[in-house]
Amino acid sequence: MKLLIVGGIAGGASCAARARRLSEQAEIILFDRGPFVSFANCGLPYYVGNVIKEEKNLLVATPELFKERFNIQVRTESDVLSIDRANKKIQVKDLKSGSIYWESYDALVLSPGAAPIRPPLPGIDLPGIFALRTIPDSRRILQWISEKKAKDAVIIGGGFIGLEMAENLVRCCIHTSVLEMQPQVLPPFDREMVFGLHEHLKSRGVTLYLGDALTGFEADADGKITVLSKSGLKLRTDIVILSIGVKPEITLAKNCGLETGERGGIRVNDQMRASDPKIWAVGDAVEKRDFLTSEWTTIPLAGPANRQGRVAADSIFGRDSKFRGVQGTAVCKVFDQVAAMTGASEKALRRLGKTYEKVYLHPGHHAGYYPDAKPIHLKLLFSPQDGRVLGAQAIGEEGVEKRIDVIAMAIQMKATVYDLEEAELCYAPQFGAAKDPVNIAGMIAANALRGDAPLAQWDGIDLKKDFFLDVRNKEEYKKSHVGGALNIPLNHLRSEMNRLPRDRAIYVYCGVGQRAYYATRVLLENGFDARNISGGIQTFDGQISG
Ligand SMILES: Cc1cc2nc3c(=O)[nH]c(=O)nc-3n(C[C@H](O)[C@H](O)[C@H](O)COP(=O)(O)OP(=O)(O)OC[C@H]3O[C@@H](n4cnc5c(N)ncnc54)[C@H](O)[C@@H]3O)c2cc1C
């Protein structure tokens, strides 16, 4: 068996190492057009920000290590130019010598990744406009910053990489602006969830231009660049970072007639086999099935690329491993905040016409009685039919990704909100609570599905016409409240119930939903039609005010 692998980073390197573990006899050759294999591209923004101080720390494995430990041949600076499927061979250009040669295969794995999108706009090729994908890219960015003594940066795109770069450029004392076409940063999230992040970014000196699209660049006489936008913005800057997404690298696959899909990726089956029985493809270059919706999708993340590399190796060596699909589990640090999500967002469910229910909650990341509990703003999406968990998003300073990881696993196990209620999770005061935020999310959702505590949503009620009951104390009410809400603090509810209408729904709210839950139970037990507005005033602030 002679196995050739094109692309030696996340998917390719993990495939090579797994292949060796499955066969000592196979000849394995890994090609990459770049000067490195197996480097941590996820660490690049932090290398630019000098958090990762040495370039060598980005190298997870070297060609020497591949040779010595795994007996895998690595050929860097080797560009694979074409695939001859009929004769099972690939054409390779050695970029050091310029020579071109053919290499035959019994099995071929493509893991060529994805290329940053560079829209064909005026001025796109001006010096000083960068994308970040490789170690040489980060070197060029650092060199430009140092040579130009850069003071201003504009990042195009407020996605994961854009925000990580914003944090790291601010760390380099560069005033940073982010221009984002959507009315929010982190577009995969639902908008109300990231409202707080907008404020947080601004508090750290990042200027946000949301809901505005890039139209081009102009070179200024003094060496600066002017970024132009649809709304007429003209942002003068020293450096531009393009982070508006990536598109699958499918040139090789397309040129040799492999099937590609409508999302622009290589089509593969659940064993990562492409439309040719001797070729497998993995990572950012392929289209995968969404685990929940079964739609074809491209989600460029390192975890799926690594797991797919393993599945491809298993398949090549006769094992029947299957890739389960992607669910978009992702996390991003934005200065002191962490944003994480898994599964479907509300906007995706809406777009697909799926029925769903949602809850919002804002618990502390650990027990309130232990110092420094930080709130986690959590949203859980689930099916109203059977309670199956569909997605979750969370923002906060601490413990965010831990909760999303638990829910990610629940989604993969097709668990329900009833399972989240029952999950036995770690608890000591420093780490969580006897009722962990994941349990509480499950309990709120399950209480709603059982009819014990019906929920309402701020975006589903009429703020002008409906009847609102605010059960917070007088001081909280005085600071801010919703429209004409009646204030009866929870502790007075039983004695002042006669002030409430019996002929219409009562929408109950408090700060985060807990007191309103108690109030809703009291009112239901007393024959009122009461509903708890999920997430209380905290959710109102993001969903309606934001
Ligand atoms: C700045 C940055 C930060 C990121 N942060 C995260 C993160 O925090 N979490 C996360 O999950 N994901 C993150 N990602 C995404 C993650 O790195 C990718 O999803 C993952 O690397 C994809 O693996 P891959 O093997 O498909 O492609 P890649 O890792 O991109 O590897 C593809 C390789 O193939 C080579 N290649 C392509 N065509 C050819 C050819 N014809 N001949 C030879 N070689 C070729 C390329 O040079 C490249 O080295 C980040 C990406 C970037 C750029």
Side-chain angles (χ1 to χ4, degrees):
M1 160 65 76
K2 184 171 170 187
L3 168 60
L4 304 187
I5 302 173
V6 183
I9 316 294
S14 73
C15 180
R18 174 74 175 164
R20 175 55 77 224
R21 288 194 293 275
L22 298 179
S23 166
E24 267 300 304
Q25 283 73 44
E27 183 183 357
I28 305 171
I29 312 176
L30 193 58
F31 298 86
D32 203 293
R33 62 157 77 106
F36 304 103
V37 281
S38 199
F39 73 88
N41 28 19
C42 308
L44 293 175
Y46 303 94
Y47 177 56
V48 172
N50 201 30
V51 177
I52 297 172
K53 300 216 178 298
E54 294 196 49
E55 195 179 279
K56 68 174 174 10
N57 293 338
L58 293 167
L59 304 177
V60 180
T62 58
E64 295 71 38
L65 184 129
F66 270 105
K67 183 73 206 151
E68 286 158 13
R69 186 165 298 169
F70 301 115
N71 188 25
I72 290 168
Q73 234 191 86
V74 171
R75 298 191 195 160
T76 52
E77 293 177 82
S78 297
D79 197 3
V80 177
L81 302 177
S82 63
I83 302 168
D84 177 350
R85 284 169 51 197
N87 296 300
K88 290 199 284 166
K89 57 185 185 177
I90 62 172
Q91 190 186 36
V92 186
K93 180 172 185 181
D94 180 337
L95 298 174
K96 285 163 280 189
S97 66
S99 67
I100 293 178
Y101 60 95
W102 289 92
E103 194 71 58
S104 66
Y105 61 82
D106 298 310
L108 175 65
V109 175
L110 302 178
S111 186
I117 294 172
R118 288 183 82 88
L121 293 172
I124 188 79
D125 293 323
L126 285 175
I129 301 176
F130 300 91
L132 181 63
R133 185 87 201 161
T134 62
I135 291 179
D137 289 339
S138 59
R139 276 185 204 151
R140 283 189 282 270
I141 291 170
L142 283 169
Q143 192 182 350
W144 185 270
I145 289 174
S146 139
E147 279 173 6
K148 302 286 166 184
K149 299 191 174 41
K151 291 197 174 50
D152 295 289
V154 175
I155 294 172
I156 315 291
F160 291 85
I161 296 176
L163 295 194
E164 288 180 353
M165 280 305 288
E167 177 182 332
N168 282 291
L169 291 175
V170 168
R171 201 170 263 135
C172 299
C173 300
I174 296 176
H175 173 257
T176 302
S177 304
V178 176
L179 176 66
E180 165 59 56
M181 197 164 74
Q182 300 292 326
Q184 65 170 89
V185 298
L186 299 184
F189 284 70
D190 292 321
R191 183 168 179 268
E192 78 282 7
M193 293 303 293
V194 297
F195 172 65
L197 277 188
H198 296 169
E199 299 306 311
H200 187 62
L201 282 157
K202 287 180 207 163
S203 77
R204 293 314 184 93
V206 176
T207 310
L208 289 182
Y209 298 99
L210 301 175
D212 197 359
L214 172 75
T215 52
F217 305 93
E218 278 170 1
D220 297 353
D222 59 358
K224 289 204 171 223
I225 303 162
T226 295
V227 178
L228 307 168
S229 83
K230 203 170 171 187
S231 76
L233 279 178
K234 286 177 186 254
L235 303 173
R236 264 169 58 77
T237 185
D238 301 301
I239 181 168
V240 174
I241 307 289
L242 282 177
S243 56
I244 50 176
V246 293
K247 62 173 189 323
E249 273 274 9
I250 53 167
T251 318
L252 277 178
K254 254 204 145 141
N255 288 348
C256 74
L258 287 179
E259 189 188 342
T260 53
E262 76 257 18
R263 307 302 300 263
I266 304 169
R267 274 285 163 89
V268 288
N269 66 12
D270 57 7
Q271 292 193 303
M272 309 315 295
R273 203 188 282 258
S275 55
D276 178 311
K278 296 294 174 196
I279 303 180
W280 286 254
V282 302
D284 289 0
V286 304
E287 286 189 6
K288 299 135 254 194
R289 289 278 187 194
D290 184 290
F291 181 76
L292 277 155
T293 64
S294 298
E295 278 199 314
W296 287 105
T297 180
T298 51
I299 294 190
L301 288 171
N306 273 274
R307 295 199 310 282
Q308 291 165 7
R310 280 175 62 93
V311 170
D314 280 3
S315 166
I316 290 164
F317 290 98
R319 302 203 173 189
D320 69 350
S321 309
K322 290 192 171 65
F323 183 70
R324 295 180 180 179
V326 283
Q327 57 189 83
T329 307
V331 61
C332 182
K333 182 174 165 291
V334 186
F335 295 94
D336 292 338
Q337 295 282 314
V338 178
M341 69 179 290
T342 185
S345 63
E346 183 175 0
K347 56 187 160 194
L349 292 169
R350 217 182 290 143
R351 178 173 50 79
L352 295 167
K354 306 265 181 204
T355 47
Y356 63 87
E357 229 347 310
K358 60 181 175 178
V359 297
Y360 295 94
L361 58 159
H362 310 274
H365 85 286
H366 63 47
Y369 66 81
Y370 192 81
D372 292 332
K374 304 280 190 332
I376 296 179
H377 306 287
L378 180 60
K379 175 180 185 178
L380 180 75
L381 294 143
F382 55 97
S383 157
Q385 280 91 32
D386 55 7
R388 190 170 158 196
V389 181
L390 302 175
Q393 303 172 27
I395 312 270
E397 274 183 59
E398 302 273 351
V400 167
E401 69 294 347
K402 161 171 145 174
R403 273 62 191 213
I404 292 299
D405 278 344
V406 170
I407 297 173
M409 195 62 212
I411 289 176
Q412 200 168 109
M413 302 314 292
K414 302 189 174 158
T416 65
V417 296
Y418 308 108
D419 296 310
L420 298 188
E421 271 189 303
E422 293 299 326
E424 187 169 310
L425 303 171
C426 291
Y427 166 54
Q430 305 88 329
F431 304 106
K435 277 184 205 146
D436 189 86
V438 171
N439 298 131
I440 300 174
M443 286 170 188
I444 300 171
N447 280 339
L449 290 185
R450 290 189 198 103
D452 288 342
L455 287 174
Q457 306 293 343
W458 288 113
D459 57 2
I461 43 189
D462 190 328
L463 289 175
K464 293 209 177 79
K465 290 198 192 129
D466 285 320
F467 185 89
F468 295 95
L469 172 65
D470 184 327
V471 292
R472 297 173 303 159
N473 63 38
K474 302 277 178 215
E475 290 69 38
E476 288 172 288
Y477 178 81
K478 251 185 238 155
K479 262 192 219 153
S480 80
H481 60 265
V482 174
L486 175 70
N487 180 221
I488 305 179
L490 176 63
N491 297 357
H492 303 186
L493 187 59
R494 288 184 184 85
S495 56
E496 294 186 31
M497 217 175 268
N498 55 356
R499 297 171 64 197
L500 294 170
R502 290 201 172 266
D503 57 347
R504 60 191 299 199
I506 300 170
Y507 293 97
V508 191
Y509 73 85
C510 62
V512 294
Q514 191 172 10
R515 282 171 288 176
Y517 163 52
Y518 302 145
T520 303
R521 287 298 307 154
V522 170
L523 294 176
L524 288 171
E525 283 290 307
N526 282 281
F528 290 92
D529 174 5
R531 296 145 206 205
N532 178 4
I533 308 178
S534 191
I537 280 287
Q538 285 241 11
T539 297
F540 180 85
D541 286 344
Q543 205 173 39
I544 308 297
S545 314

